[in-house]
Amino acid sequence: MTSPSASLVQSAKTAGARMADRGTPFVFNEWYAAAFSDEVSRVLLKRTLLGKRVVLFRTQDGRPVAMDDRCAHRSYPLSAGAIDGDTIVCGYHGFRYDDRGNCIQVPSAAKCPKGIGVRTYPVVERGPVVWMWMGRSDIADANSIVDLSWLTSDRWVRVKVYFHLKSSYVYLCENLMDTTHLSYMHASTIGTPDYASAPAQTEKSSGRFALIRTVSPTRLPPIWAKPAGLEGVSTAARIVRGEFMSPGVFEFTTRLYDGAVSECSRSEYRIKVAHMTTPETAGTTHYFILMARDFAHDDRDVTAFMTKGFSAAFQEDVTGLTLLDEQIGHFGHDAYEISVPSDELGVLMRRYLRQRSLDEHGIADSTADAATEARPISESS
Ligand code: FES
Ligand SMILES: [Fe+2]
């Protein structure tokens, strides 16, 4: 029986201390998906985002509004009140708030006392997503919302899926960064045995981490092969680029084609997926997914087939990450993670998340003087 040596465990713990985990304070100065656009309506939507309870609704001219879900009077949830025009009326004593969160009427008082209100948050609607900024409002810049122009382009046919995930968003982000799990966690859906060991390139820049994996030649699983007309083809190519774009967004682009056909005459099929990883609480995540293809635009059977197949695959992640988060919670301080070279991007991404959190909250880095450098375990160690 092999048990990790005490020094290896200590090294793993030291490395782990430098990575974000389920206990790392959220990064607030960032845009997150708060809701799919069609969820925000003239009905009050109650939602917890980054540990805060908020309420969302649309004004009469269609503008999304988000504010704290807590009446300034006695903390009654505003989401249990009512929309009246562009205002919310609290369901307890009737305090009325306008769309900027100002209390403009107190029914029991002849004149509304000044200075009462609730916090509102910057929200921006882009195609099917309502983005929200919950950090310092003076630095909220809509230009920093990640560019996902395909979400609003007619060239792509889109479907959406949502999961309420019982896991920290950190583990979801690492799961998305680490596609070596496809051959195992998704063995019967989107994975193939050759996926985990296929050659991969990495790209690293400030706050962006990308992995490009080339699986070729390969035999595609039905979920990819059928819509692309590549069933039974043993010379297929599957090129996947997955990028961590922000703490709340991953983008995947998959290109499929028959590698035996020359570049100038082959058909290429592209599928894009935006994974939006919005923390709800320390141990739960709103997992919004938008998936799009640039072929078979009007084929509803392809839409139904892909939606069903990919939903089943993403459910595998949700089930697996629920197990993982529960397991890590169970072991608490005894938990440690031993990394291998393929974890490099996941480790860098989790260090980045932690550093963003430390910087934002003004927390001193207690691991800065750690004697052991926190690197993925090298091939030779
Ligand atoms: S708690 Fe809202 S009006 Fe009293
Ligand atoms: Fe997965």
Side-chain angles (χ1 to χ4, degrees):
M1 184 179 80
T2 301
S3 185
S5 66
S7 64
L8 181 55
V9 169
Q10 188 51 50
S11 171
K13 284 189 172 183
T14 303
R18 295 186 61 191
M19 300 193 288
D21 61 19
R22 66 207 298 277
T24 304
F26 298 132
V27 176
F28 284 90
N29 290 330
E30 194 55 75
W31 291 97
Y32 293 94
F36 287 130
S37 291
D38 58 7
E39 292 183 284
V40 182
S41 68
R42 296 287 291 161
V43 176
L44 295 170
L45 174 66
K46 175 190 176 95
R47 184 149 283 175
T48 298
L49 302 164
L50 282 69
K52 292 179 186 285
R53 293 184 174 188
V54 297
V55 57
L56 294 112
F57 70 102
R58 262 182 215 283
T59 58
Q60 295 169 100
D61 63 4
R63 227 168 3 94
V65 172
M67 62 178 75
D68 279 338
D69 189 17
R70 175 184 173 278
C71 179
H73 181 220
R74 288 293 180 271
S75 300
Y76 197 72
L78 292 176
S79 57
I83 299 178
D84 182 17
D86 287 347
T87 68
I88 296 184
V89 179
C90 179
Y92 198 174
H93 312 93
F95 282 33
R96 182 186 295 269
Y97 298 87
D98 68 15
D99 59 353
R100 288 177 300 171
N102 301 313
C103 181
I104 56 171
Q105 186 182 30
V106 173
S108 59
K111 200 171 166 196
C112 184
K114 285 198 177 357
I116 302 176
V118 295
R119 182 179 176 185
T120 55
Y121 297 93
V123 284
V124 174
E125 188 166 20
R126 296 247 169 99
V129 182
V130 173
W131 300 96
M132 184 162 159
W133 177 282
M134 299 182 73
R136 279 175 45 197
S137 54
D138 59 315
I139 56 169
D141 177 4
N143 292 320
S144 66
I145 297 174
V146 294
D147 180 12
L148 296 170
S149 55
W150 55 273
L151 287 182
T152 52
S153 162
D154 291 341
R155 289 178 47 219
W156 297 86
V157 193
R158 284 171 293 277
V159 294
K160 64 184 193 314
V161 184
Y162 169 86
F163 293 98
H164 181 255
L165 171 64
K166 290 192 179 69
S167 162
S168 160
Y169 84 107
V170 171
Y171 305 129
L172 176 57
C173 287
E174 185 168 56
N175 166 281
L176 292 164
M177 194 84 266
D178 149 41
T179 50
T180 60
H181 76 274
L182 264 69
S183 301
Y184 298 90
M185 192 172 272
H186 304 298
S188 60
T189 53
I190 52 176
T192 49
D194 53 1
Y195 198 90
S197 56
Q201 296 167 265
T202 58
E203 292 174 5
K204 303 161 220 166
S205 60
S206 176
R208 294 278 184 114
F209 306 99
L211 186 103
I212 303 100
R213 195 174 290 279
T214 301
V215 197
S216 175
T218 190
R219 193 180 286 269
L220 297 169
I223 196 170
W224 300 105
K226 196 169 170 189
L230 293 169
E231 276 182 301
V233 174
S234 60
T235 51
R238 175 183 182 183
I239 321 294
V240 184
R241 183 178 198 282
E243 180 176 1
F244 170 91
M245 304 179 88
S246 82
V249 183
F250 265 84
E251 180 190 52
F252 279 81
T253 303
T254 299
R255 297 164 49 215
L256 307 169
Y257 54 83
D258 184 350
V261 179
S262 68
E263 197 168 342
C264 55
S265 53
R266 74 186 175 214
S267 297
E268 185 169 309
Y269 305 87
R270 287 189 301 166
I271 295 162
K272 281 184 174 283
V273 185
H275 297 263
M276 289 158 287
T277 56
T278 308
E280 180 187 45
T281 66
T284 57
T285 301
H286 294 290
Y287 186 10
F288 301 96
I289 301 169
L290 279 158
M291 189 170 60
R293 66 177 190 272
D294 70 347
F295 56 92
H297 286 79
D298 301 319
D299 194 327
R300 290 187 180 183
D301 289 343
V302 168
T303 300
F305 176 79
M306 292 183 71
T307 305
K308 186 173 174 211
F310 280 100
S311 295
F314 299 140
Q315 179 62 57
E316 290 169 339
D317 291 306
V318 169
T319 302
L321 291 172
T322 301
L323 278 175
L324 181 73
D325 190 279
E326 193 280 331
Q327 178 87 332
I328 290 171
H330 171 78
F331 282 98
H333 291 303
D334 289 335
Y336 59 88
E337 302 170 86
I338 295 178
S339 298
V340 294
S342 64
D343 293 318
E344 183 198 10
L345 283 190
V347 169
L348 290 175
M349 184 272 299
R350 285 176 63 182
R351 283 191 201 171
Y352 169 77
L353 286 180
R354 178 174 174 273
Q355 195 58 52
R356 285 280 306 264
S357 175
L358 293 181
D359 292 346
E360 185 177 304
H361 296 280
I363 302 169
D365 187 353
S366 59
T367 66
D369 298 326
T372 308
E373 179 60 16
R375 294 186 186 284
I377 306 300
S378 71
E379 298 276 13
S380 57
S381 61

